[in-house]
Amino acid sequence: MNITDLNDKQRSAVLHTEGPLLIVAGAGAGKTKTLTYRVAHLIENGVAPESILAITFTNKAAREMRERTEKLLEHLHIHTMPVMTTFHSLGVLIIRENAMRAGLPKFFTIADESDAISIMKDAIVSLGLDPKQFEPRRYKNIISRQKGDFVTPEEFEKNAESFTADTILKIWRAYEAGLAAEKSLDFDDLLLRSVILLRDHADIRESYQRRFKYLHIDEYQDTNELQYAMTKFLVGPEKNICVVGDSDQNIYSWRGANIKNILHFERDFPGAKVVLLEENYRSTKAILEAANAVIEKNTMRVPKDLFTSRTGGEKITVCEAFDERAEARYVAEAAVAARDAGVPYENIAVLYRANFQSRALEEAMLDYHIPYHVLGTKFFERREVKDVLAYARLALSRESLSDYKRAIGFPSRGVGKGTLVKVFAGQRDTLPPAMKKKLADFDALLDKILLFSEQHPPSEVIKYIIIESGIERTLAQGTDEEQERLENVRELVTLAVKYDSREDGLTHLITDAALASDQDSLTDKSSGVRLMTVHAAKGLEFDTVFVVGLETDLFPHRRRASPPAGGTEEAEEERRLFYVAITRAKEKLYLTHASLRTIFGSRQINTPSEFLADIPLHLIDSDTELGSDEKGRFVFFD
């Protein structure tokens, strides 16, 4: 490894190996490169790889970090690697290694979002409440936020003095009972229960501090109270903690991220070294100048000024369209022109503030025969993939009632809801002989899968499940849609191959499937223009980027930008969100807005977003889009 590949600031961060270190890394400033070089430098200088822990937020980011580090260390021919994982995966590790102390089986089930919503609905119904009035997703989100703020039901009860709070508490306890019956934890529990173990058991806490001498946290500005607490508990007496982040890219306060965690790092760790990475290797000078002009209005930030040594680059194109259809048409035509100029469709992204905006864009993509990919359709959330994984989980542990219900129901075995109620109530003996035979055959199948899994790698196990369960036969004989579902479960076999060489590979596959993020659905193999929200685009980069819907009340969003941007924490986050959006672009940036937009069935007249006024005029190339008014007359805005 040659650290002369780094600039002076990056090198300074890599060489500071002892004591607390804060790396403030601007967008495109090479934070992952700096982090992986630092890890590799530690190992080159005698630090045991297994004593290094690096935590990030998505499987995709952890995988990229691991691959880069492996490449840097090729010359050493080491047999172990640092632990590079996500917060949630680390939570799983801590709970599984201390399952008995946590009062859980070692192989507990992780309830994904849809499973958790289903359990929440059952909890609400069990209390005699109407799920239409007490909407399950809403209460799941309320409880999720409480857990993220490091609040347990017992602590919540101390302050539950209103009727609403009392109702939340009752639903929360019923929901927890539903999870317990399934031997399941939801995503928030993976952090909450692991942090409680670290907090309440000094021996557990100290064992991880001895195990991980050097701690690295990526995207530190996005940590919530639980992740912040986990970080503090994992830091040993040597205070060898390195955090990387950017206060200007804190855009997740709505899910608990606390910008104060990074702003207060020097208070938490006195004497910390601070390194600012300001040289951007991604974007053109015009894009960076616009980004700096936008974000400098915020007050809650670590001041910095992005710059680049690159020369040239196009101006930023700002387009006013008549309505959302004209805007979408403009984007489609510009995307075709970019493709014709040599930019592959997969290097083009269209970013929007709200999911509903994708509809008009998708219609335009279809009209212009442009392949596109909407980020957010998780592979692991497909019904058929969840069916196969349910068999795998059940083979390892029979505790999950929802997995049992899902697996025995597909392919259909003629086992109805009434029978399942008796099975779950422990009343199998009351069933007719024919039904007992069906259940015994199903249990025998699970036993066969378990035995097979003990002797074969994960990819072979998944293939075995698909065949022996009857899933392959059922889907192969079905409609075109079912044929596509069969292709998806076969793709799961391909994906499972990478777990074949890992110890407990099937368990790791099941865990990663439960923890997959939206970005994990965006594979290198997928082609076409990317359509996604700005939140989903964080951490990604593209040659050409369109940021659409730049109108007052849409971006900045009405709920989060009043009073005017810059006046509140929420408004500053909207400005940070726009900063993140424009810094995704490497070569060309388009900013569009529509004079009219239909929102919730109502046609609205819009004014351009205040963010557009923040961009210096000399950086802008104005454009217009032909559109039609409600009477079908063509109009042109200039």
Side-chain angles (χ1 to χ4, degrees), residues 112-156:
D112 66 17
E113 188 66 13
S114 61
D115 292 335
I117 296 297
S118 178
I119 294 171
M120 176 62 74
K121 182 178 179 181
D122 291 343
I124 290 169
V125 171
S126 74
L127 294 171
L129 302 174
D130 183 358
K132 292 182 180 178
Q133 180 181 358
F134 297 86
E135 207 277 315
R137 187 175 299 276
R138 176 171 177 265
Y139 281 88
K140 168 66 175 62
N141 290 339
I142 290 172
I143 291 168
S144 176
R145 185 59 184 265
Q146 291 297 320
K147 289 182 178 181
D149 287 340
F150 206 172
V151 177
T152 63
E154 294 72 27
E155 290 163 332
F156 185 82

Side-chain angles (χ1 to χ4, degrees), residues 314 331-349 365 368-371 527-529 543-544 546 588 590:
E314 297 184 50
V331 170
E333 290 176 352
V336 171
R339 190 276 315 271
D340 292 343
V343 180
Y345 277 141
E346 54 266 31
N347 286 344
I348 300 172
M365 295 294 147
Y368 282 79
H369 306 290
I370 299 172
S527 61
V529 173
D543 289 341
T544 300
F546 297 84
K588 178 64 182 178
Y590 292 86

Side-chain angles (χ1 to χ4, degrees), residues 175-423:
Y175 172 66
E176 292 300 323
L179 287 169
E182 296 272 344
K183 298 293 189 295
S184 288
L185 299 180
D186 64 19
F187 287 173
D188 302 297
D189 288 329
L190 301 179
L191 298 180
L192 181 60
R193 298 288 284 271
S194 57
V195 171
I196 288 173
L197 281 169
L198 294 171
R199 181 194 67 186
D200 295 349
H201 302 279
D203 60 324
I204 294 176
R205 181 172 64 250
E206 290 166 6
S207 72
Y208 286 106
Q209 291 176 354
R210 289 192 300 271
R211 181 168 166 183
F212 301 121
K213 297 287 189 182
Y214 293 85
L215 179 61
H216 300 76
I217 311 292
D218 191 18
E219 303 287 10
Y220 193 64
Q221 79 282 346
D222 290 336
T223 51
N224 63 17
E225 290 303 313
L226 269 179
Q227 290 154 342
Y228 174 73
M230 178 182 279
T231 300
K232 295 291 288 290
F233 287 134
L234 288 171
V235 178
E238 302 87 355
K239 306 297 182 188
N240 289 332
I241 177 173
C242 166
V243 304
V244 185
D246 180 7
S247 55
D248 292 338
Q249 297 186 69
N250 171 266
I251 60 172
Y252 294 117
S253 68
W254 50 275
R255 68 183 189 196
N258 190 344
I259 193 173
K260 293 177 182 177
N261 293 347
I262 191 168
L263 296 178
H264 292 167
F265 183 81
E266 293 173 86
R267 182 198 66 184
D268 292 338
F269 297 97
K273 181 181 177 67
V274 180
V275 176
L276 266 61
L277 303 184
E278 298 174 290
E279 183 171 0
N280 178 285
Y281 295 93
R282 176 189 299 158
S283 306
T284 64
K285 187 176 181 180
I287 293 170
L288 294 182
E289 192 174 338
N292 288 331
V294 165
I295 203 63
E296 68 180 9
K297 287 194 171 184
N298 275 6
T299 57
M300 297 179 63
R301 61 188 297 257
V302 178
K304 62 181 181 308
D305 198 24
L306 295 180
F307 68 92
T308 181
S309 57
R310 294 180 58 184
T311 58
E314 297 184 50
K315 286 186 176 182
I316 298 167
T317 298
V318 176
C319 173
E320 177 184 15
F322 175 73
D323 58 14
E324 69 269 22
R325 290 172 296 177
E327 177 187 54
R329 184 170 64 244
Y330 176 84
V331 170
E333 290 176 352
V336 171
R339 190 276 315 271
D340 292 343
V343 180
Y345 277 141
E346 54 266 31
N347 286 344
I348 300 172
V350 186
L351 312 183
Y352 36 83
R353 178 63 181 83
N355 277 302
F356 77 85
Q357 294 173 258
S358 72
R359 183 195 58 79
L361 293 162
E362 289 190 65
E363 289 180 0
M365 295 294 147
L366 292 170
D367 288 343
Y368 282 79
H369 306 290
I370 299 172
Y372 67 93
H373 182 93
V374 181
L375 187 64
T377 305
K378 297 182 188 176
F379 175 77
F380 290 114
E381 285 189 354
R382 296 182 185 276
R383 182 179 64 186
E384 59 275 14
V385 174
K386 293 184 71 172
D387 288 339
V388 175
L389 291 174
Y391 280 93
R393 283 194 295 265
L394 271 181
L396 298 178
S397 171
R398 308 293 164 87
E399 302 287 353
S400 173
L401 304 183
S402 60
D403 280 336
Y404 194 93
K405 181 179 176 182
R406 174 180 285 276
I408 204 169
F410 186 76
S412 176
R413 292 176 172 82
V415 179
K417 290 183 179 178
T419 298
L420 289 175
V421 168
K422 291 184 178 181
V423 171

